[in-house]
Amino acid sequence: MYGGGYVPAGADEPKVSAENPELLAQFEARIARGEKIEPRDWMPAAYRKQLIRMIEQHAHSEIIGALPEGTWITRAPGFRRKLALMAKVQDEVGHAQLLYSAAETLGKSREDMLNDLINGKSKYSNVFNYPAETWADVAVIGFLIDAAAIVNQVANSKGSYGPYCRALERICYEESFHLKQGHSVFVWLATGTTMQREMLQSALNRWWEPIMHFFGPSDTMSQHTETLMRWKVKMASNDVMRQQFLNMYVPKIWELGLSLPDSELRKDEFTGQWLFTEPNWDTFFQVINGNGPCNRERLAVRKIAEERGAWVRAALRRADARYATPLA
Ligand code: FAQ
């Protein structure tokens, strides 16, 4: 069922059954009451491990996610578009900062997380392994990928881990501006010249499957959903979030006279569910395991950034050490 060399996590998972049953029951009761779990609170090892995995992947997605759009800052049409895109890309990097800080509260250092990103041990969102070929790709990313991210993040900001939820709340405020920026470019192109509409349609066709993949494998294939939903880290399953996205955004795309590259896509009026052609999950697993069109380039750029920034980090560490030394 799985492709792309994907090995489902599990063998080295901490066992929930090995936890102290009394502490586990108290922990689950707190979650059931809607309380937030904070860094110093007792938590099962599996909860900690799952949160680190998920928040770390999310943080990596933000810094790697800055790259496809980042390449368009100098080519954005006009000063206002350049300014808006530059501010957006800067926000994404800021989101990574917030998320790395949230993950650090669980005991993994930022340095270890960044090393695991560069050495390919840790994943990041599938969508950032595709190139932004034209200005219309920036419109699709800004409108639809930000929209997809918001669907996921608004839901999960109501989850159980305090530092992650607070980071998500702040991120969602900023993402809603990103969505407006993306929508503005998207509508501009959709209502522009024939060439602009064609460029947008072509970008939409290329991005549709990666966007469908964005919410993760269908529920029958998802490895972590059950555990994550039990502990209110994930507040809805992959399929439920995908449906929410389709419900909110497909009408907005069709309204502009654009099409989507799936002849099966339609809402079943009886069930209220969207019907669609199952995206190719083998392609998805290939992409998230390092074999997408841009994986190597993305990690190479990240590695260069780490190497070139090493002197700044060293200088900051020295400054920290100096201020920590009491004056004679
Ligand atoms: N990409 O068992 P599940 C953004 C992996 S932020 C790559 O269903 P889970 C902002 C998954 O890790 C975008 N890998 O997993 C922005 C697992 O592999 P593992 C990121 C994926 O955790 C916008 C395996 O497949 N958002 O875009 C993906 O229950 C514009 C089995 O899957 C977040 O990270 C994927 N799409 O559910 C920036 C939100 N989906 O770890 C710039 C937080 C699944 O066992 C421009 N994360 N996998 O080796 C989540 O909500 C969840 O982790 C899911 C996946 C829903 C992504």
Side-chain angles (χ1 to χ4, degrees):
M1 177 175 277
Y2 298 102
Y6 173 68
V7 181
D12 62 339
E13 279 298 295
K15 296 276 177 291
V16 179
S17 55
E19 297 288 356
N20 176 324
E22 224 169 279
L23 289 175
L24 183 62
Q26 283 168 15
F27 169 83
E28 294 195 326
R30 288 188 64 193
I31 291 187
R33 287 195 298 270
E35 287 177 30
K36 296 282 183 230
I37 306 299
E38 297 297 338
R40 287 172 198 275
D41 296 346
W42 184 89
M43 60 185 82
Y47 178 82
R48 184 184 300 277
K49 191 170 175 199
Q50 280 285 359
L51 273 169
I52 292 176
R53 178 191 68 83
M54 197 170 121
I55 304 174
E56 177 181 1
Q57 286 181 9
H58 192 169
H60 296 333
S61 304
E62 300 279 357
I63 42 170
I64 298 286
L67 300 178
E69 288 171 296
T71 59
W72 277 94
I73 292 173
T74 53
R75 293 173 288 166
F79 189 58
R80 285 164 66 93
R81 292 288 191 213
K82 277 188 185 28
L83 271 182
L85 187 60
M86 196 155 58
K88 190 216 170 186
V89 167
Q90 186 176 303
D91 280 355
E92 307 295 1
V93 180
H95 296 170
Q97 294 280 14
L98 290 173
L99 291 162
Y100 284 125
S101 299
E104 277 181 315
T105 64
L106 292 152
K108 183 164 180 180
S109 74
R110 188 174 299 221
E111 202 178 1
D112 285 348
M113 289 187 258
L114 287 166
N115 283 338
D116 283 350
L117 168 64
I118 290 171
N119 65 32
K121 228 173 119 187
S122 180
K123 294 189 170 63
Y124 55 89
S125 185
N126 68 301
V127 283
F128 303 120
N129 288 308
Y130 294 86
E133 289 176 16
T134 69
W135 176 240
D137 294 54
V138 176
V140 172
I141 296 172
F143 180 31
L144 297 176
I145 294 188
D146 276 277
I150 291 173
V151 167
N152 170 291
Q153 290 161 185
V154 166
N156 291 344
S157 70
K158 313 280 183 309
S160 63
Y161 189 58
Y164 186 43
C165 296
R166 290 189 285 273
L168 289 181
E169 260 178 44
R170 160 111 185 246
I171 290 171
C172 285
Y173 286 127
E174 294 185 354
E175 300 271 34
S176 50
F177 281 102
H178 300 175
L179 181 76
K180 282 183 196 294
Q181 179 258 356
H183 187 245
S184 160
V185 181
F186 196 92
V187 172
W188 182 268
L189 294 177
T191 55
T193 62
T194 306
M195 203 191 238
Q196 285 173 319
R197 277 182 70 83
E198 281 171 7
M199 184 169 75
L200 184 60
Q201 184 62 64
S202 151
L204 206 45
N205 294 348
R206 278 183 278 111
W207 282 91
W208 189 244
E209 185 166 79
I211 290 172
M212 292 294 279
H213 286 153
F214 178 91
F215 297 92
S218 51
D219 292 353
T220 50
M221 286 195 276
S222 170
Q223 281 300 301
H224 306 294
T225 298
E226 199 184 326
T227 314
L228 290 174
M229 286 190 68
R230 166 178 171 178
W231 286 330
K232 293 194 184 164
V233 173
K234 243 167 122 164
M235 299 302 280
S237 74
N238 301 353
D239 285 337
V240 168
M241 295 222 192
R242 200 169 2 253
Q243 283 288 332
Q244 273 175 14
F245 170 81
L246 294 172
N247 211 23
M248 288 168 79
Y249 292 96
V250 171
K252 292 191 195 329
I253 296 167
W254 282 347
E255 202 174 84
L256 288 163
L258 296 157
S259 63
L260 288 164
D262 178 358
S263 55
E264 297 301 317
L265 185 66
R266 65 182 188 284
K267 189 171 181 173
D268 181 330
E269 292 305 335
F270 189 64
T271 60
Q273 293 289 301
W274 283 81
L275 304 172
F276 52 82
T277 311
E278 196 63 21
N280 185 329
W281 291 111
D282 197 44
T283 307
F284 168 79
F285 286 112
Q286 289 286 350
V287 171
I288 66 170
N289 284 295
N291 302 312
C294 294
N295 300 57
R296 281 171 199 81
E297 182 189 325
R298 298 284 183 249
L299 291 188
V301 171
R302 193 58 235 157
K303 191 158 182 269
I304 292 171
E306 284 300 305
E307 284 164 4
R308 291 197 183 152
W311 70 271
V312 180
R313 292 193 299 278
L316 286 171
R317 270 198 299 272
R318 271 199 295 277
D320 268 1
R322 214 173 36 238
Y323 288 122
T325 312
L327 292 176

